[in-house]
Amino acid sequence: MDMTDSAIERYAAKHTTPPPPHLAEVAAVTRERTASPQMRSGLVEARLLEALVVAGRATRVLEVGTFTGYGALSIAARLPAGGTVITIEYDPELAELARAHIESSPDAAKIDLRVGDAREIVPALDGPFDLVFIDAWKPDYAHYYEAVLPKLSDAGLIVCDNVLWSGEVIEAHPESENTRALQAFNDRVQADARVHNALLTVGDGLLVVWPAR
């Protein structure tokens, strides 16, 4: 299902600040060396994450799902000196590719790449986090959400990617496990009295969540 006219998407991208050269290179390598390059954060999404870092004056960020490092590098570029983004990748091969991109970037010192199962890593992390970006295995979104919610700072945000799943979440009886999981997750957050939320039709859908206190 086409949620946004492709011409509008191109227009939006043309009117978004382009990536710096090292991130453009990460995007090119991702297209060339991965089977699913569309999993990389898009330009508009990445710039929005940067804006949230700036607006919230974030210093500690958690990313669940590194892929090839584009998102972590975008976030790190806007963190102040001494700021940190902890990013978690399950796939060792993708983590190796991401590590190469991170080590060659000007913001390598701000990025802490962890390799393994986020369901095990996240509960062991100390908070608070000013921003959490979730872009990993869709059936585990509820698990990640519950693990990070108590670790948010007072003004912290959780941003979950792909929550519209190419528009399939509006289907009454979806066949896809991912679609069903995202439907349940979106409903769960909407009904959660602990938070407020806004579902944005940016990219493949971004669910922004913040404490209701």
Side-chain angles (χ1 to χ4, degrees):
M1 178 183 297
D2 291 331
M3 296 185 297
T4 307
D5 188 291
S6 58
I8 293 295
E9 290 184 344
R10 290 194 297 272
Y11 182 87
K14 288 175 67 175
H15 290 80
T16 298
T17 305
H22 70 280
L23 276 180
E25 177 63 21
V26 172
V29 172
T30 301
R31 287 192 298 270
E32 295 167 2
R33 296 183 55 183
T34 65
S36 302
Q38 73 277 5
M39 291 173 58
R40 175 184 63 82
S41 297
L43 172 62
V44 177
E45 294 95 320
R47 286 300 189 188
L48 177 58
L49 289 173
E50 291 182 43
L52 294 176
V53 169
V54 173
R57 299 184 178 182
T59 59
R60 296 193 76 232
V61 178
L62 172 63
E63 179 186 50
V64 182
T66 312
F67 195 44
T68 60
Y70 191 96
L73 288 165
S74 296
I75 292 167
R78 300 307 308 179
L79 290 174
T84 301
V85 52
I86 298 174
T87 182
I88 303 169
E89 177 53 51
Y90 180 79
D91 186 321
E93 292 185 6
L94 287 174
E96 183 179 355
L97 183 57
R99 193 180 302 281
H101 291 151
I102 291 166
E103 290 178 349
S104 64
S105 82
D107 298 299
K110 301 177 185 177
I111 302 175
D112 179 358
L113 173 61
R114 310 284 181 95
V115 183
D117 191 334
R119 294 173 300 179
E120 299 173 358
I121 295 173
V122 172
L125 295 175
D126 292 328
F129 292 102
D130 304 307
L131 176 65
V132 177
F133 181 47
I134 300 175
D135 185 12
W137 182 243
K138 310 313 171 189
D140 285 338
Y141 266 32
H143 184 99
Y144 306 142
Y145 171 76
E146 292 296 342
V148 301
L149 188 57
K151 300 177 187 290
L152 283 184
S153 63
D154 288 343
L157 295 172
I158 302 171
V159 180
C160 305
D161 200 7
N162 304 119
V163 294
L164 293 178
W165 206 241
S166 299
E168 292 182 13
V169 290
I170 67 172
E171 295 179 4
H173 304 289
E175 297 182 2
S176 164
E177 177 189 12
N178 285 330
T179 305
R180 294 193 301 271
L182 289 167
Q183 286 177 329
F185 175 70
N186 293 339
D187 290 344
R188 180 191 191 117
V189 174
Q190 179 67 18
D192 191 344
R194 297 172 296 175
V195 301
H196 294 310
N197 54 283
L199 202 162
L200 309 181
T201 54
V202 175
D204 197 23
L206 291 175
L207 185 59
V208 182
V209 184
W210 61 97
R213 57 182 177 271

